[in-house]
Amino acid sequence: MSVKISFELKATDGKARTGVISTPRGEVRTPAFMPVGTAATVKAMMPESVRATGADILLGNTYHLMLRPTAERIDRLGGLHKFMNWERPILTDSGGFQVMSLAGLRKLTEKGVTFKSHIDGSKHELTPERSMEIQRLLGSDIVMCFDECPALPADRDRIADSMRLSMRWAERSREAFGDRPGHALFGIMQGGLEKDLREESAEALKAIGFEGYAVGGLAVGEGQAAMFDCLDYAPGFLPEDKPRYLMGVGKPDDIVGAVKRGIDMMDCVLPSRSGRTGQVFTRHGVVNIKNARHADDPRPLDAACTCPACANYSRAYLHHVFRANEMISGMLLTWHNLHYFQEIMAGMRAAIAAGTFDSWEADFHAQRAQGDIEPL
């Protein structure tokens, strides 16, 4: 792959941006929501079904894939795209966030992190160099720097030390990544909710130089108001001509608020995880399909939605198969949630291009505030 990955900013409306990330495996329209394919699958979905929802790019998980089936095995079998039958772009995270969440099972040093597998207790080491090697073996199009992400709240000294360690690791990641035409490396800004630390982190990353930049260390327990306060300034510290990725976000109103503040890419397990637990996101708010009020309801989840769950099945049926623990429940509700999230992204892209983002956002919130349709 000799073609470089590039980003073209097409239009802005306030801080909101729309553009295109061009890769050898296809274009990614921004703002983009990336469904999470943790273990080389978006749970309960076929890859072609994920594409049918409107997704241009998926996220794969370095930590989970290095443990099972291993990056080396995936490489021998032709790389992650072939392995999971997804020929469009894939972004892989670095494994840092998952290792952070192991807490008692890990040991952190300047070199990297040693940890015990949550699967079988075996010992592993993850360093910037090893993370870059794993992501190269996987063959992902967009690679993330290895970073350390402290859970919030944390004291300022802990956040500062962690951020500076992540910046040293970013430099090592850049060096280990090497020259890989057709692939991109994104740096990750840290600094918690401290404005000066965010700026220091951004300056360090820009000095190293990356093809894109993530805002990391949010959606880790700080709450929406604090996250939005940070996003009011953090994206502005990053280069305008590169994509900006908010990691691990989020609920529909989180996503809209992030795009309003200048974010181009997001990912979250929420639409798929919620689909498997009977929680459905609609333009009129959240529906819990497990509730008894749906048992005799012949209406669709959302009459305006064109996904298979809404086009072909009643609330009564979706309630029944969830209660009966049938596999089709998770399949249909996940498809619906992913379809709705991609519908939000398409709506924002069109509104930004037309210069009508504020009115689109007002309509979005007004519809959600109406709540679900009245029970029969």
Side-chain angles (χ1 to χ4, degrees), residues 55-240:
D56 291 336
I57 180 171
L58 293 184
L59 183 139
N61 190 281
T62 290
Y63 167 81
H64 288 282
L65 293 172
M66 73 177 277
L67 296 178
R68 185 171 59 193
T70 77
E72 287 74 13
R73 176 169 289 147
I74 290 174
D75 179 47
R76 288 196 303 271
L77 292 167
L80 185 56
H81 296 85
K82 182 179 179 183
F83 186 61
M84 69 180 293
N85 189 31
W86 176 267
E87 287 304 326
R88 293 193 57 79
I90 294 175
L91 179 149
T92 44
D93 62 13
S94 69
F97 179 80
Q98 282 72 29
V99 170
M100 173 204 81
S101 64
L102 292 171
L105 297 175
R106 70 180 174 101
K107 182 182 178 185
L108 178 71
T109 67
E110 181 70 33
K111 182 183 179 186
V113 184
T114 53
F115 62 93
K116 288 184 178 178
S117 164
H118 73 284
I119 299 169
D120 60 8
S122 57
K123 279 193 74 173
H124 298 266
E125 183 178 50
L126 205 47
T127 64
E129 293 77 16
R130 176 61 177 152
S131 178
M132 295 304 101
E133 181 187 22
I134 291 167
Q135 293 180 80
R136 179 184 59 77
L137 291 167
L138 295 175
S140 52
D141 306 276
I142 299 176
V143 171
M144 300 305 299
C145 276
F146 188 59
D147 67 331
E148 203 241 334
C149 174
L152 297 179
D155 65 59
R156 181 183 165 85
D157 288 346
R158 167 78 179 94
I159 291 168
D161 289 346
S162 170
M163 180 272 288
R164 289 169 188 142
L165 175 63
S166 289
M167 296 308 99
R168 296 191 294 275
W169 284 359
E171 198 157 6
R172 286 166 56 191
S173 295
R174 177 83 265 183
E175 191 172 333
F177 180 82
D179 182 23
R180 297 182 61 205
H183 302 267
L185 180 64
F186 280 24
I188 305 175
M189 174 208 281
Q190 293 289 353
L193 303 175
E194 308 289 334
K195 186 174 183 178
D196 61 324
L197 296 182
R198 286 280 173 185
E199 185 170 20
E200 180 186 333
S201 177
E203 291 303 314
L205 293 173
K206 288 188 288 187
I208 299 167
F210 293 94
E211 289 76 59
Y213 296 84
V215 179
L218 293 177
V220 289
E222 74 282 359
Q224 188 191 72
M227 179 176 76
F228 282 172
D229 284 347
C230 183
L231 291 177
D232 281 335
Y233 57 78
F237 294 146
L238 299 171
E240 276 194 24

